[in-house]
Amino acid sequence: MNLSEYLAQADALAEECHALLAGLDAATRLDVAKGQLNALKDDRLASLQGALRTLPADDRRAAGGAFNTLKQRIQNALDAFAQRQSAASGAATFDATMPPRGQWRGSLHPVTLVIDEICEIFRELGFTVALGPEAETEWYNFGALNFPPDHPAMELHDTLYLGEDTLLRTHTSPVQVRTLQQFAPPVRVLAPGQVYRRDFFDATHAPAFMQLEGLAVDEGVSFVDLKATLAEFARRFYGATRRVRFGPSYFPFVEPGAQMDVEVDLGDGKGLRWVEILGCGMVHPNVIEAAGLDSEKYTGWAFGMGPARIAMSRYGINDIRVLYDSDVRFLEQFAR
Ligand code: PHE
């Protein structure tokens, strides 16, 4: 074999290897492709390697270079095949009939869950939902609710003022007055909404939080209706075995005023204890009159509760701040 024959054979083998691999179906397994390639090249490569020694010394250098180039071209052809094959196999595993992978789904906030559940219970008891503005006038927030001017309770509420006469409502009770102005009795409404107080964030206080107001006004409504309805609510929300109790309390817009406590386990190892979940009472005649109704004819009762506190009592949460942190690890526990 002379040099030109050697170079021609090396070139031909490289071309054939390339043609073999390029001609294979991309679905061919790699070991099968390599087997076919080896069958084609191994003997001829070995004989070309052996022939190097038989060539005249002057030609060996050029032949050796051609031999190395040949091996490189075979490897390149193999790499190209492997690449084509893996691209095709990636496509082959796409199956449009496969169910989608589990996706992370958002969930309702625990306070929202509690509000929805309470609204549903009261809906079954004949209540509809009413809403009022978060920016209120002093009159709706205090005056119409029988707070005397400069009453210390206004201080207690730590009001955030927006202007001379406008403020961020400190409770949802102004919706009582707005509702009575708008609708003739019988009135049975539930008013969920955000309220604001000039408070620092700590384990039990937040400067903005949800409240849920309830109001029932009609002829002949009494404290018995209040107690029966709220006890029934507690029975449906907490279960029949949970104990509730009523005690006296004071709010300027109710007379008499009361609070309802429920016995709960906050999950802190301290066992059952009484937790106040709402303030309530018979709507003060001055409030009925402020709304433009005859307090001789109409009576009513109202309550206000904090759904965050109720969520805490229900889920055994002892720091209100987790309800505001938006930590997905906490929130996703409430995904349904
Ligand atoms: N508005 C009162 C509060 O913010 C709660 C309440 C509402 C009490 C209705 C009695 C009747 O604490």
Side-chain angles (χ1 to χ4, degrees):
M1 201 192 298
N2 62 30
L3 180 61
S4 63
E5 281 170 354
Y6 189 92
L7 297 180
Q9 281 189 27
D11 194 50
L13 181 56
E15 293 290 335
E16 285 175 51
C17 288
H18 179 81
L20 168 79
L21 292 170
L24 286 180
D25 190 313
T28 310
R29 276 178 19 213
L30 192 59
D31 60 325
V32 172
K34 276 182 179 167
Q36 291 190 26
L37 178 67
N38 291 341
L40 173 68
K41 74 170 169 59
D42 279 356
D43 287 349
R44 289 162 66 183
L45 205 59
S47 81
L48 282 170
Q49 187 167 27
L52 281 174
R53 271 173 281 120
T54 69
L55 287 170
D58 286 351
D59 294 339
R60 276 187 208 154
R61 198 182 165 80
F67 183 78
N68 287 335
T69 302
L70 167 62
K71 287 200 297 187
Q72 189 59 53
R73 286 174 71 186
I74 294 171
Q75 187 58 47
N76 290 348
L78 197 61
D79 290 347
F81 171 77
Q83 218 166 14
R84 196 157 57 85
Q85 186 209 40
S86 74
S89 78
T93 59
F94 176 76
D95 180 349
T97 66
M98 293 269 284
R101 275 192 212 142
Q103 293 195 353
W104 195 81
R105 294 177 57 196
S107 54
L108 291 177
H109 192 276
V111 172
T112 305
L113 290 174
V114 162
I115 291 173
D116 287 354
E117 200 177 321
I118 295 173
C119 286
E120 179 58 22
I121 290 172
F122 278 95
R123 195 186 61 75
E124 290 168 7
L125 299 175
F127 287 70
T128 54
V129 169
L131 298 174
E134 292 176 18
E136 265 298 6
T137 63
E138 214 168 26
W139 187 78
Y140 277 109
N141 198 81
F142 294 122
L145 291 168
N146 197 39
F147 286 78
D150 304 319
H151 191 280
M154 283 160 70
E155 281 298 310
L156 280 179
H157 275 215
D158 286 320
T159 313
L160 288 158
Y161 278 86
L162 297 171
E164 182 78 359
D165 179 42
T166 48
L167 46 79
L168 289 171
R169 66 179 176 190
T170 59
H171 52 175
T172 43
S173 298
V175 183
Q176 289 186 31
V177 182
R178 290 185 174 274
T179 305
L180 292 178
Q181 285 179 325
Q182 214 181 335
F183 302 103
V187 161
R188 275 198 202 85
V189 293
L190 211 59
Q194 188 87 298
V195 304
Y196 302 85
R197 293 193 192 171
R198 208 179 54 222
D199 253 331
F200 289 109
F201 245 128
D202 63 26
T204 52
H205 295 89
F209 55 99
M210 293 297 285
Q211 266 196 350
L212 204 61
E213 192 86 7
L215 173 72
V217 173
D218 200 359
E219 293 179 44
V221 170
S222 76
F223 199 87
V224 174
D225 301 305
L226 176 158
K227 250 189 115 171
T229 310
L230 292 179
E232 175 62 13
F233 154 72
R235 197 186 66 75
R236 293 195 191 187
F237 186 80
Y238 288 104
T241 56
R242 193 71 68 96
R243 293 207 295 168
V244 296
R245 72 180 183 193
F246 289 85
S249 187
Y250 173 75
F251 304 91
F253 38 93
V254 287
E255 179 59 35
Q259 66 179 52
M260 187 169 86
D261 306 337
V262 53
E263 209 175 19
V264 295
D265 185 345
L266 291 182
D268 55 4
K270 291 181 186 161
L272 287 171
R273 93 204 55 177
W274 290 105
V275 172
E276 178 193 344
I277 61 157
L278 58 84
C280 57
M282 297 305 292
V283 180
H284 197 288
N286 290 353
V287 177
I288 305 260
E289 296 285 338
L293 295 175
D294 181 356
S295 64
E296 295 288 328
K297 188 173 175 197
Y298 295 113
T299 52
W301 55 272
F303 67 87
M305 56 182 149
R309 277 211 188 184
I310 291 173
M312 291 167 78
S313 73
R314 145 102 30 122
Y315 301 115
I317 297 165
N318 47 36
D319 190 326
I320 201 170
R321 286 168 291 198
V322 300
L323 298 174
Y324 293 81
D325 284 343
S326 301
D327 185 331
V328 168
R329 292 166 301 178
F330 170 74
L331 294 175
E332 69 186 355
Q333 301 178 89
F334 300 94
R336 290 187 290 192

